[in-house]
Amino acid sequence: MQPRLDPFTVFMDLRTGLLDPLPVVAERRLGDMRGLYAGEAEPADQLVYRVLSIPVPELNSEIQCSTTILEPGLVGDEYFMTKGHFHAVRDRSEIYIGLAGEGRLLLATEDGRHRLEPLRAGTVNYIPGGWAHRSINVGSDPLVFFAAYVGDAGHDYETIEGRGFPVRVVRGETGPTVVINQRYRR
Ligand code: S6P
Ligand code: ZN
């Protein structure tokens, strides 16, 4: 076969997740996340996370790679988190490699099962197809992780925007606490 791409190398700072050369950067602010938190997501311009993506074609022959830098913070008692998504092609899987900070990876199936996994420096999370995933920063420093996933996975945000995850992770008296999401609809 004729190769589609030439080899290339990107340098990653393993503590900050920053990539060199700096690839495509997407920013998510509280104003982008209305309806996902139980409380009011204010102020709208507050940065919550950045996703630095290495651009490759969205084909199942490729591997998409990105780092996520998720700031520490709270909306009410709910920790800063990513929007969360199913892959548009549901059976596409992914791995996360934790680089810095203290987090949780919340996963859920369409039939309402959920799991909470650790996400910190040294964790390798395997996210099988069919599991929606959201990362949550429960610490006081940025949560940084590297993601690699099947190139044509795509992202379905609408399903999570409509139904939420079955649980939320909030700051409790003894630390991060899992509570039922009262707005969850299966
Ligand atoms: C992509 C992978 C991550 C997330 C990123 C932001 O499949 O899971 O790169 O895109 O952590 O989360 P979200 O839910 O806003 O895409
Ligand atoms: Zn994903």
Side-chain angles (χ1 to χ4, degrees), residues 91-152:
D91 67 356
R92 297 309 197 238
S93 57
E94 176 157 12
I95 59 166
Y96 280 3
I97 300 174
L99 299 176
E102 179 66 27
R104 301 288 184 273
L105 175 61
L106 175 61
L107 304 109
T109 57
E110 290 186 282
D111 63 6
R113 288 183 291 146
H114 75 274
R115 290 278 296 269
L116 197 64
E117 300 288 332
L119 178 53
R120 64 174 72 94
T123 56
V124 179
N125 309 110
Y126 191 80
I127 303 169
W131 287 84
H133 38 289
R134 162 181 286 167
S135 46
I136 302 164
N137 188 346
V138 301
S140 46
D141 298 311
L143 175 68
V144 184
F145 61 91
F146 180 81
Y149 55 103
V150 183
D152 67 347

Side-chain angles (χ1 to χ4, degrees), residues 28 49 51 66 68 82-85 87 94 96 133 135 145 147 149 155 157:
R28 297 282 178 257
Y49 59 100
V51 182
S66 60
T68 300
T82 57
K83 294 176 91 165
H85 57 269
H87 290 152
E94 176 157 12
Y96 280 3
H133 38 289
S135 46
F145 61 91
Y149 55 103
H155 296 88
Y157 292 103

